[in-house]
Amino acid sequence: MPRNSSLTFGQSHYLGEDPVLAAVSDLALLSAMYGLFGGYLHATALAGSVGFTAKQFLPLVEPWLAAMMTALPDYAERIDSGDHARDVMSNLSMQSVAITNIVAASRSLGIDPAFMEPIERLAKKRLAAGFGSDEASGLIEAMRGK
């Protein structure tokens, strides 16, 4: 990496006296990064299976991911309140169909669906528990074992 004195990797944040807060925060941030990168890699492999190069796909996926990031404040509010059922824009029943379609299309196009299969399992678990009309933010409850 070229030396650049103006290069900044991030900010420091005091999270409290318990060192576990910093350690788990670090792992959680890495989890978000790997999830984002994994999603991008899976999407690029899927697009590539029909002839897109990564550079051709980038102008489609980059603004899409940026737009999807704007949902995070709403998801944070739903997660903290535990209310995944209010003002639902895109319910889990509909999202689950899309997820299952991605898994099936991946298989049929020779792309390993391993990245998407855990999300599909969590969605099916929530649907089976009767939460199909909730927002997809409710997947966190399945992750928490609820």
Side-chain angles (χ1 to χ4, degrees):
M1 176 184 290
R3 294 194 182 262
N4 182 341
S5 61
S6 66
L7 184 63
T8 304
F9 286 105
Q11 300 174 345
S12 63
H13 296 277
Y14 179 75
L15 302 175
E17 290 186 27
D18 185 349
V20 170
L21 296 172
V24 172
S25 175
D26 181 51
L27 293 175
L29 290 169
L30 288 170
S31 176
M33 179 191 73
Y34 288 126
L36 175 69
F37 289 169
Y40 166 72
L41 293 171
H42 183 268
T44 301
L46 197 57
S49 73
V50 294
F52 280 96
T53 67
K55 285 185 179 182
Q56 289 171 326
F57 185 58
L58 189 60
L60 298 174
V61 71
E62 193 172 28
W64 174 254
L65 290 177
M68 294 304 99
M69 295 295 287
T70 65
L72 295 183
D74 178 61
Y75 268 40
E77 186 177 314
R78 290 173 187 279
I79 291 164
D80 286 347
S81 72
D83 184 1
H84 305 284
R86 83 172 151 68
D87 302 325
V88 174
M89 300 272 301
S90 179
N91 71 43
L92 184 58
S93 290
M94 187 275 302
Q95 295 287 350
S96 182
V97 171
I99 294 165
T100 297
N101 287 342
I102 293 167
V103 169
S106 296
R107 282 191 185 108
S108 72
L109 294 169
I111 302 302
D112 187 338
F115 181 80
M116 293 298 298
E117 288 171 329
I119 300 165
E120 182 182 36
R121 281 193 302 277
L122 292 168
K124 287 180 179 180
K125 183 177 179 180
R126 278 300 273 181
L127 289 174
F131 295 102
S133 63
D134 281 9
E135 189 66 52
S137 59
L139 290 174
I140 195 168
E141 306 302 340
M143 291 175 188
R144 291 174 169 164
K146 296 179 183 178

